[in-house]
Amino acid sequence: MKTSTQAVYRENLNRAIIFIEENLDKKILLKEIAHEALLSEFHFHRIFKSLTGETVKDFLSRLKIERAAIRIKHTQDDIGQIALENGYENHETFTRAFKRYFQQTPQAYREAIQSVMLNKQVHYQDTQLADLQVDLPIIKHLPDLHLAYIRHLGAYDKVANSFQKLMWWAISNWALKLRPTTLGIVHDNPELTAEEHIRFDACVLLSKATKPQGEIGYKQIAGGKFAVFRYTGAYENFYTVYDYLYNVCLFEKGWELADKPALEWYIKSPPFYKPENYVTDFCIPIK
């Protein structure tokens, strides 16, 4: 595939994926997604599979199920209502799809995950935020953000290359002034999502909208209310910090998760600082 052709396909794919991710609460058809990508259904399906490793149907179904699982874990909302709000026509259809994915019914999953969370809370019973080098949370209302981004699929410890490519693009296009503000959009929970399917957006903050260029996408994300936890230390400890925040802090505070991804805001980051001096704001969306 020619480089120029692949760049066009990447732009098309980014548009289609944003459309899917913004419409998980609806029943959307392949022809609607292909229309967003400016391709025929057949051609889009082939390109999507070659670039993501999944069919459109599998990708859409997985996102809906995992999104529902997060809500089942973090709320006591009626499962039938969760099914409807994730684009399923009825409780039965949702239950069959959920069971195919998790090998248990939604209700059984809720009971099992509550047991897991209780065990985690026991595990962390003598742990405080300060022990993890995390400051007490601050509630912030973030504005809408203009972002240039590269979508990374796979293990989180491989995202550095995406940030490097993004920074070269920004420098060459005069998109940045002084030191850049970089962010990460964390879409998936590694306890739910297989490593090869984990989605992470390496982002740089822009002052205004920009035109996508190949794998460099553009998105404007909605701001809102976030619980912001400032962490000082190396990136390899992120999993433990997230585990504590989502399974202990959220419940202690009585905060309900909002239906949007978490953000990582890199305050002090490489190559300007040593790992022990990295500062990252974990921005957890709440209602």
Side-chain angles (χ1 to χ4, degrees):
M1 187 185 297
K2 293 181 179 179
T3 302
S4 59
T5 302
Q6 187 175 41
V8 172
Y9 286 156
R10 284 288 180 183
E11 289 179 27
N12 294 343
L13 182 67
N14 282 341
R15 280 197 302 272
I17 287 175
I18 288 174
F19 176 75
I20 291 171
E21 291 173 347
E22 290 180 346
N23 289 278
L24 291 175
D25 58 339
K26 303 178 180 68
K27 182 177 181 180
I28 51 178
L29 304 176
L30 175 60
K31 65 180 180 181
E32 296 174 301
I33 304 170
H35 176 75
E36 290 294 320
L38 307 177
L39 293 168
S40 68
E41 292 179 48
F42 173 79
H43 201 44
F44 172 69
H45 189 275
R46 183 175 64 83
I47 296 301
F48 189 96
K49 178 70 181 295
S50 69
L51 293 178
T52 68
E54 291 184 279
T55 66
V56 180
K57 180 180 178 181
D58 287 346
F59 178 77
L60 179 58
S61 177
R62 181 173 62 78
L63 262 57
K64 285 176 177 286
I65 290 295
E66 291 177 356
R67 178 175 181 256
I70 290 172
R71 190 163 161 196
I72 289 171
K73 173 184 176 180
H74 286 280
T75 76
Q76 290 300 315
D77 293 347
D78 178 73
I79 290 174
Q81 187 64 29
I82 292 174
L84 293 174
E85 293 178 6
N86 278 278
Y88 288 90
E89 294 179 350
N90 53 61
H91 187 291
E92 291 73 22
T93 302
F94 171 67
T95 297
R96 287 196 298 271
F98 195 96
K99 192 172 182 179
R100 280 196 302 270
Y101 193 80
F102 286 108
Q103 287 76 56
Q104 56 187 334
T105 66
Q107 183 58 41
Y109 175 83
R110 171 170 274 167
E111 293 167 1
I113 204 67
Q114 286 175 343
S115 177
V116 169
M117 286 191 293
L118 286 173
N119 288 336
K120 285 180 180 288
Q121 289 164 12
V122 170
H123 173 74
Y124 287 117
Q125 63 183 342
D126 296 322
T127 302
Q128 301 294 322
L129 282 170
D131 299 325
L132 301 175
Q133 296 178 273
V134 178
D135 294 345
L136 293 174
I138 298 172
I139 302 300
K140 289 187 177 181
H141 291 268
L142 298 180
D144 294 351
L145 302 174
H146 295 282
L147 301 171
Y149 74 97
I150 292 179
R151 169 61 57 91
H152 170 82
L153 292 176
Y156 288 124
D157 60 3
K158 307 295 184 183
V159 303
N161 185 52
S162 295
F163 275 111
Q164 290 172 0
K165 287 193 280 187
L166 185 64
M167 299 312 296
W168 277 114
W169 167 84
I171 292 168
S172 63
N173 286 272
W174 300 96
L176 302 180
K177 296 179 180 179
L178 302 176
R179 185 178 295 176
T181 298
T182 52
L183 294 83
I185 302 179
V186 184
H187 292 276
D188 296 306
N189 179 344
E191 293 183 349
L192 289 177
T193 306
E195 184 175 89
E196 66 270 20
H197 295 317
I198 288 174
R199 299 165 297 149
F200 178 90
D201 293 336
C203 306
V204 63
L205 186 64
L206 304 174
S207 59
K208 60 182 179 180
T210 190
K211 183 179 179 181
Q213 297 180 24
E215 68 175 327
I216 309 293
Y218 164 78
K219 62 171 65 175
Q220 180 180 353
I221 64 169
K225 185 178 180 182
F226 289 82
V228 180
F229 297 81
R230 178 157 292 186
Y231 162 72
T232 301
Y235 294 157
E236 53 258 36
N237 296 326
F238 274 18
Y239 177 82
T240 301
V241 174
Y242 272 121
D243 196 41
Y244 185 81
L245 296 184
Y246 276 95
N247 293 295
V248 178
C249 284
L250 284 178
F251 294 95
E252 285 183 347
K253 299 291 186 181
W255 290 331
E256 185 177 349
L257 275 177
D259 184 21
K260 60 178 70 175
L263 306 177
E264 294 173 357
W265 202 295
Y266 308 111
I267 309 301
K268 294 182 179 180
S269 59
F272 307 106
Y273 299 91
K274 295 180 179 180
E276 62 269 24
N277 296 322
Y278 294 166
V279 176
T280 309
D281 281 352
F282 291 82
C283 305
I284 310 299
I286 58 175
K287 293 183 178 179

